[in-house]
Amino acid sequence: MSLTEKDSQYLWHPYTQHKTSQTPIAITRAEGALLWDENNKQYIDAIASWWVNPFGHSNKFIADAIYKQLTTLEHVLFGGFTHEPAVKIAERLMEILPKNQQKIFFSDNGSTAVEVAIKAALQYFFNKNKKRTTIIAFENAFHGDTFAAMAASGISFYTQAFQGMFIDVVRIPVPVKGQEQTSFDALENAIKNNNCAGFIFEPLVQGAAGMVMYEPEALSKLIGICKENKVLTIADEVMTGFGKTGKTFAMDYVSEEPDMICLSKALTGGTIPMAITTFTQDIFDAFYDDDINKALFHGHTFTANPTGCAAALASIDLLQTKEMQQNIERINASHLNFQKKIEKHPKVITARTLGVIFAVEIKSDSEESYYGSMRNKLYNFFIEKGVVLRPVGNIVYILPPYIMTDEQLQKVYTTIEEAIEMV
Ligand SMILES: *Cc1c(COP(=O)(O)O)cnc(C)c1O
């Protein structure tokens, strides 16, 4: 039996309708921006395996750091214990995070990072005997698949079976060009008419919505409105963090600082599942008390796993090299060139770029749903051509590992151009 046959016997894949989906591709090895399947077919990983892998697959530098940590201290519980990799990653993050961030809390993935932030926002007011129960979030947001994260997410595909079972969320429009004032007004109204604890947002780029982009000034204004009303702000940088937008964090473009930041995905360079939620001193202080009930009663078994911390430290080392910063600039310049070329194409509605993120919207006769027929046609075409891209409806985006070569990048562009002709 082949690997894929054995797979279909036992395995249940994410976001997959097994009755209608094709068999998955069995990948046997990977290096840099390339993947190889069991038949030795080569693929360019143009989405960094769901946005986690900026420095390339099977990276030796991170692997060595992991091995060293595994053979020194692979894991120890974080309740009542601490260790050097956790302290070091905290110190490193303090150097690069917005200055008001003072405390870091570990968990395992993007959804749990969000879960922790939302729970902290709600309990912050509970601890102050001023209970607030509503969270504000953007339309078409994506914050993960656990319950509070799902509640904050606005893409109905992921959440429709659970409607009516969520914490209270009010949704406001994203301040894309021309819609800024509508968004500001909606936020003011949401705060006036509800008992709002926090506002969660994907800063500057909404990943799962199809790389929807908006300006830093608009986000700054929204955060300012929250500050005036003492509503806590949560920047979900799970996708945008660690260089994707051209700066270390998307929030580096924004003049107002958030109260909390969620990190995961590229945190460990795509090696070990790990996430971090960061907080201001003010939030930490609302939990600091003689009363044990005011503590943040949240934790995961693998909290602050030393091996994950070692991978994260090695990843930040790589991110900060001159070479990697130049790679980010090189890819950005290349995307901007491609954007200029492609946006004039009669079948293209619009194209956009921020940092290493590029997206193009393709014209379509009918309303394209998230996993609709155009999407499937495009996806299959890309796979056949040996390029891993996962379109969202009629939107094709690229989010390459920073080490992707110019030649590989050109092949991705050409394949997208061919796909636009094909549909
Ligand atoms: C992917 C993502 C999440 C969820 O992360 P998981 O690790 O998949 O749970 C949350 N927020 C944003 C912005 C994401 O892109």
Side-chain angles (χ1 to χ4, degrees), residues 82-83 100 167 268 270 345:
T82 192
H83 49 77
N100 70 341
I167 56 164
T268 61
H345 193 287

Side-chain angles (χ1 to χ4, degrees), residues 51 109-112 114 142-145 202 236 238-239 264-265:
W51 325 336
N109 58 69
S111 304
T112 54
V114 167
F142 181 76
H143 296 292
D145 291 339
E202 294 157 271
D236 178 355
V238 169
M239 188 281 282
S264 188
K265 293 210 163 106

Side-chain angles (χ1 to χ4, degrees), residues 357-369:
I357 307 168
F358 167 87
V360 55
E361 287 186 35
I362 303 170
K363 270 186 197 149
S364 134
D365 298 333
S366 54
E367 177 83 11
E368 275 305 319
S369 82

